[in-house]
Amino acid sequence: MLIGHTAQDMETFESDDGYVIVRLDRGDLALESIETACDRHNVDTGAVVSGIGTFSNLNIHYVDRTDLPADRTERNVTLELDGAWEITDVGGVIADGEPHLHVTGFNGDRTVGGHLEAGCEVNVLGEFTIRKIDGLSLTRDPNDHGVSQLTRQ
């Protein structure tokens, strides 16, 4: 089993027009490394517009009900899936420097999707594109159901 790590020496490339490309290698932790790239490149508001790769495990959660109980732990199903996962898409919004990302993965037999959680280790490679959004400052605040939603700062 690999010991995951946030890639302190990961490769990131920033364009003149606000795109940040993140390259991750075997053993790097996907979400944690994207968070590090946001810090490194001062991404306060933005979007992960593209993400592909392979993971050696996939940690996600998703909502499986239409009612919203007050206890958030009753709303979500958490999956911690081992084995090789081909990641076909990662995307989401970055608000107040914090990514909220969703992922779709396939292991040869099963396709799953949901909210990307910490601890997903890159198996072969990971490539992610972040788009900075200047002139807009967003944060997330809980609504009446305790669901974090985007609001302008």
Side-chain angles (χ1 to χ4, degrees), residues 70-81:
D71 184 352
R72 291 183 65 137
T73 60
E74 294 179 19
R75 297 179 187 179
N76 299 327
V77 172
T78 300
L79 300 176
E80 295 180 355
L81 305 167

Side-chain angles (χ1 to χ4, degrees), residues 48-112:
V48 173
V49 296
S50 170
I52 57 97
T54 58
F55 293 171
S56 60
N57 66 302
L58 182 59
N59 300 331
I60 62 171
H61 84 262
Y62 64 92
V63 176
D64 74 336
R65 51 195 307 164
T66 57
D67 62 333
L68 294 175
D71 184 352
R72 291 183 65 137
T73 60
E74 294 179 19
R75 297 179 187 179
N76 299 327
V77 172
T78 300
L79 300 176
E80 295 180 355
L81 305 167
D82 289 327
W85 288 90
E86 185 71 21
I87 303 306
T88 59
D89 187 43
V90 176
V93 174
I94 301 161
D96 204 15
E98 293 295 321
H100 178 141
L101 306 178
H102 285 231
V103 60
T104 305
F106 176 67
N107 74 351
D109 295 315
R110 180 179 181 191
T111 300
V112 297

Side-chain angles (χ1 to χ4, degrees), residues 6-10 12 22 29-42 97 99 130:
T6 302
Q8 298 302 319
D9 60 345
M10 69 182 165
T12 60
V22 180
L29 296 174
L31 180 59
E32 295 86 339
S33 295
I34 292 168
E35 290 170 341
T36 298
C38 287
D39 288 342
R40 183 181 290 177
H41 293 276
N42 300 311
I130 299 168

